[in-house]
Amino acid sequence: MKTKIFIFGACLMLLACGNKSSNPQPTSQANPPPAAIDDASIIKSQYPPLAFDKVASLKSLADFPIGMEVAAGDEERSIFKKTDQQPVLQWHFNSLVAGVIMKMRHLHPEENRFTFDQADELVSYAEQNNMLMHGHTLIWHWDSEIPDFMKTYSGDWKTMLDQHVYEIVSHYKGRVKSWDVVNEAIEETSPTTSDYRPSIFYKALGKTYIENAFITARQADPNAELYYNDYNLEYNHSKLAFTLSMVDDFIKRKIPIDGIGFQMHTQLDYPSVVDIKAAFSKAAARNLKVKITELDIAVNFTNAPSLNASTALAQKNRYKEIVKAYLEAVPPAQRGGITFWGLVDGETWMRSFYNRLEWPLVFNDDYSVKPAYYGVAEALSGK
Ligand code: G3I
């Protein structure tokens, strides 16, 4: 982009010089400032909102999984209701993750009852379309996703959680490629300290619930890749250090773990790409897989009514630098992949969660590409 602007600017300057020598003008007119190329024109000429299938497929640009979070089952935005999403998924992505329907309460609503129908439909869809499935998530503290029976559970927690993990992972043995075994088990306790989150699982079993889940998942499907997944790891130094010391301890004690998931719900100008890259490098130094599991980039901190051109361009550059940082910090064999947390801006979780307009994703609501798409594509293409 910079090169093109430079060439255009150079042409304008040459024209101006030509005018000056052949037809002298008063100084103020002889050296007019180069015509400003506004951001909307740059988008129109270089990053146009083409239809999703008129641009290179993202998955074709990477040799690691490119994933998408989807709704399924009876959810309002299920891909089996909004079937026009399916061609977009098939064009660009080779990995899927359920945003909701594979969480604890959906698969295990009662102590002795598991419900797999909705997730089965999604896993079959992925298989039929040569997509990998990433399972999200076997254990998560989030209150509305914890099965009711667990909230008042007074039996043997270890046996119950082992059964929870075993039933689910064995049901999808050989079909779900990787799992977020435990999600968000560590929290920041102050700006500079972190600790295990005092979830109901922690209160019942202490930190051992985490390793138990990894051990049981490995028993249930020895070939599934097992991830620990969390947010803010890309900038919170104490949280990353705490997480990595847990991982190091697992490795030392031969607790099975294959990867670290960075959710990466990031912002336009925070955290710095230096921090992001350093965090990826530290994780990669464990020789495990490193996966970006929930990528999106929030842009609207001023409550703007629409995504303006300069923010869209800044977001494009931000996507590019994040994907580049991943490629530079994580060796090819350790790249678990990059997954986006939502297909179109209109469906982002951020709008209801933060109660504001947001445009954090790479597709417009009509499935045309945003400038953000070009940022990802350029980085994947090594540009
Ligand atoms: O399907 C019902 C719908 O029938 C109802 O009308 C509506 C009213 O609230 O709720 C709908 O369910 C919502 C569901 O998303 C479907 O979109 C739930 O209330 C809502 O709690 C649920 O939120 C999800 C949240 O996790 C909790 O599961 C978000 O979609 C999902 O994006 C979010 O994902 C999390 C990751 O799992 C972990 N990392 C952070 C990430 C974002 O918060």
Side-chain angles (χ1 to χ4, degrees), residues 348-356:
T348 174
W349 64 281
M350 288 185 193
R351 291 194 181 184
S352 51
F353 193 79
Y354 295 121
N355 197 22
R356 67 164 194 254

Side-chain angles (χ1 to χ4, degrees), residues 36 88 209 254 344:
V88 193
Y209 84 88
K254 300 199 176 352
V344 294

Side-chain angles (χ1 to χ4, degrees), residues 121-341:
E121 183 186 26
L122 180 61
V123 173
S124 298
Y125 170 81
E127 287 174 336
Q128 283 155 18
N129 291 286
N130 294 317
M131 296 163 166
L132 302 171
M133 265 313 292
H134 180 72
H136 176 81
T137 168
L138 295 168
I139 297 188
W140 188 30
H141 68 91
W142 197 255
D143 188 67
S144 64
E145 299 297 357
I146 295 174
D148 288 339
F149 84 87
M150 286 190 194
K151 292 180 183 171
T152 53
Y153 196 69
S154 58
D156 179 343
W157 268 90
K158 178 170 185 312
T159 305
M160 184 273 287
L161 276 183
D162 282 353
Q163 186 204 11
H164 167 82
V165 171
Y166 194 86
E167 286 287 330
I168 295 172
V169 177
S170 60
H171 181 85
Y172 291 111
K173 184 176 178 184
R175 302 179 70 199
V176 168
K177 163 85 177 166
S178 50
W179 286 96
D180 289 332
V181 177
V182 179
N183 190 40
E184 303 174 5
I186 293 162
E187 67 172 6
E188 302 99 309
T189 46
S190 83
T192 54
T193 56
S194 293
D195 206 338
Y196 292 105
R197 182 186 298 278
S199 62
I200 60 168
F201 317 111
Y202 184 84
K203 285 176 184 153
L205 294 172
K207 65 176 185 171
T208 57
Y209 84 88
I210 305 172
E211 61 198 65
N212 291 344
F214 278 86
I215 292 167
T216 305
R218 177 57 42 92
Q219 286 165 353
D221 185 351
N223 294 320
E225 290 175 3
L226 308 180
Y227 281 84
Y228 175 73
N229 191 49
D230 216 323
Y231 60 86
N232 292 358
L233 298 177
E234 65 277 14
Y235 72 86
N236 188 304
H237 296 191
S238 88
K239 187 167 182 175
L240 180 65
F242 196 95
T243 302
L244 293 179
S245 68
M246 178 187 78
V247 166
D248 289 342
D249 175 56
F250 278 17
I251 294 169
K252 196 167 130 206
R253 293 191 293 121
K254 300 199 176 352
I255 307 291
I257 182 168
D258 301 300
I260 300 170
F262 285 73
Q263 292 187 6
M264 295 288 290
H265 296 292
T266 57
Q267 303 174 8
L268 201 52
D269 50 12
Y270 189 83
S272 76
V273 73
V274 173
D275 271 359
I276 293 173
K277 197 171 159 187
F280 288 159
S281 294
K282 283 183 188 162
R286 270 64 194 179
N287 268 323
L288 298 179
K289 290 214 167 176
V290 176
K291 187 173 174 73
I292 297 182
T293 52
E294 304 181 14
L295 182 59
D296 48 22
I297 300 175
V299 296
N300 197 14
F301 299 96
T302 56
N303 274 320
S306 60
L307 177 62
N308 68 42
S310 55
T311 305
L313 276 185
Q315 187 184 47
K316 177 246 161 195
N317 290 328
R318 179 69 165 156
Y319 264 109
K320 184 172 179 176
E321 71 176 12
I322 288 175
V323 173
K324 271 185 78 176
Y326 180 75
L327 296 175
E328 286 166 10
V330 184
Q334 288 173 253
R335 292 177 192 154
I338 297 178
T339 291
F340 300 84
W341 204 248

